[in-house]
Amino acid sequence: QVLLQESGGGLVQAGGSLRLSCAASGRTFSPYTMAWFRQAPGKEREFVARLNRIAGSIYYADSVKGRFTISRDNAKNTVYLLMNSLKPEDTAVYYCAADNGAPTTNAQSYAYWGQGTQVTVSS
């Protein structure tokens, strides 16, 4: 069984920072692509950032480019999302996703999902 477990969400003031973590576990599971998505109330789930196993093919949504940084530690099967200069519009549930396919921004391409972690940015 493959499990993705996010952590690190919380409440932060605008301009602040948070670091999300997502640990992947499961027998011999080492996903090629890991990504972050988010979903705000009343909105569809949207892509945030993704990278492949060698930490290449890194890509960000325009809305977070220059503020967020995605990285991964393959030894720990963990992907991180460092979020700086947070804005109220970043408020959402953040989801970790993983797949053995090529990196993509399409949520439907990811086979494995975490339960999500809430990020709330106050103005």
Side-chain angles (χ1 to χ4, degrees):
Q1 182 181 2
V2 173
L3 292 175
L4 299 178
Q5 181 63 57
E6 303 99 336
S7 61
L11 173 64
V12 64
Q13 289 188 332
S17 298
L18 283 174
R19 190 180 81 153
L20 305 183
S21 300
C22 172
S25 62
R27 187 171 59 91
T28 69
F29 182 64
S30 180
Y32 183 75
T33 299
M34 298 190 78
W36 289 95
F37 289 78
R38 67 186 182 185
Q39 188 166 17
K43 295 188 177 181
E44 293 186 354
R45 190 169 298 189
E46 66 172 357
F47 167 79
V48 175
R50 51 90 163 148
L51 79 175
N52 64 17
R53 185 178 292 136
I54 58 172
S57 191
I58 294 177
Y59 188 74
Y60 298 96
D62 287 343
S63 57
V64 306
K65 200 172 297 182
R67 300 187 298 122
F68 290 12
T69 302
I70 188 172
S71 61
R72 69 187 287 172
D73 183 337
N74 289 332
K76 297 181 179 179
N77 247 0
T78 299
V79 64
Y80 305 96
L81 186 69
L82 176 61
M83 305 184 294
N84 293 323
S85 303
L86 282 162
K87 305 175 181 179
E89 51 263 44
D90 293 319
T91 295
V93 177
Y94 283 71
Y95 296 91
C96 173
D99 198 82
N100 283 318
T104 175
T105 62
N106 183 358
Q108 294 183 344
S109 297
Y110 290 84
Y112 305 102
W113 291 86
Q115 293 299 308
T117 185
Q118 177 70 47
V119 171
T120 302
V121 184
S122 62
S123 57

